[in-house]
Amino acid sequence: YTRDKDAVVAAVWLSELAAELKEHGKTLVDQLEEIYATYGYFGNYLTEIRLPGVEGKAQIDLIQDQLRKNPPVMIGEFEVEKVEDYWNRTPLVSETDKSSKNMLAFHFKPVHGTISIKTTVRPSGTEPKSKMYIEIGSSPFEITEFEKYKE
């Protein structure tokens, strides 16, 4: 139990874990890879489209509006299984709240070796760009297959 955002306590716990693992000939990386094998490897990737200027802001708003009104059923070879519009997370208590919830999450039908694939699209709140967060989660696997699943 950590009473607050106390990095010192977390660092001590991590050091204790590293010491225990070392006694068994393992490292923190070995432990992390075992966790991935047991629960699946989850990777995240961020990409963006920069559209500067007043025209760019209008294009970013149009992208979000079109994705909201006409969500794709396929993106490349991936089938969209569900679209989550964060504006449906009510109540929207203010314009600031509405702006912060201007996100769409596209959940894809899992393909072989995955349990989840999701892309979240939202306009940046501070820069003239549309941001896309891509998340992929694998099924659990044998530790000997770690590199394959990581890739």
Side-chain angles (χ1 to χ4, degrees):
Y1 172 71
T2 303
R3 294 181 54 90
D4 201 351
K5 298 173 190 150
D6 190 345
V8 172
V9 174
V12 169
W13 286 343
L14 189 61
S15 299
E16 285 182 13
L17 175 60
E20 288 177 25
L21 290 168
K22 186 175 182 179
E23 288 177 6
H24 294 38
K26 292 184 177 182
T27 67
L28 289 170
V29 172
D30 296 331
Q31 179 70 18
L32 185 58
E33 289 177 2
E34 287 179 21
I35 291 169
Y36 287 145
T38 302
Y39 299 102
Y41 184 83
F42 289 76
N44 296 283
Y45 178 74
L46 168 64
T47 191
E48 62 193 39
I49 300 171
R50 289 186 174 270
L51 298 164
V54 175
E55 299 85 12
K57 169 74 169 113
Q59 288 177 306
I60 291 167
D61 291 344
L62 181 62
I63 289 168
Q64 205 70 5
D65 187 54
Q66 289 299 312
L67 287 173
R68 186 169 270 117
K69 288 179 180 173
N70 303 303
V73 294
M74 297 284 291
I75 296 180
E77 62 188 66
F78 299 97
E79 181 181 344
V80 177
E81 196 169 57
K82 176 178 103 173
V83 179
E84 184 180 3
D85 186 342
Y86 284 55
W87 277 355
N88 293 332
R89 294 183 176 186
T90 56
L92 296 174
V93 296
S94 68
E95 282 303 311
T96 303
D97 186 36
K98 184 177 181 182
S99 178
S100 71
K101 291 180 180 174
N102 190 9
M103 292 189 284
L104 298 165
F106 298 91
H107 300 264
F108 297 93
K109 185 175 181 181
V111 295
H112 178 71
T114 67
I115 57 173
S116 66
I117 305 171
K118 178 174 89 168
T119 298
T120 303
V121 181
R122 73 170 183 85
S124 170
T126 58
E127 299 176 273
K129 59 187 176 183
S130 183
K131 300 174 83 171
M132 288 137 287
Y133 303 84
I134 301 162
E135 306 170 27
I136 301 172
S138 80
S139 307
F141 51 87
E142 294 297 320
I143 190 70
T144 55
E145 296 184 286
F146 175 72
E147 289 301 324
K148 172 185 157 191
Y149 276 84
K150 182 178 173 183
E151 186 167 319

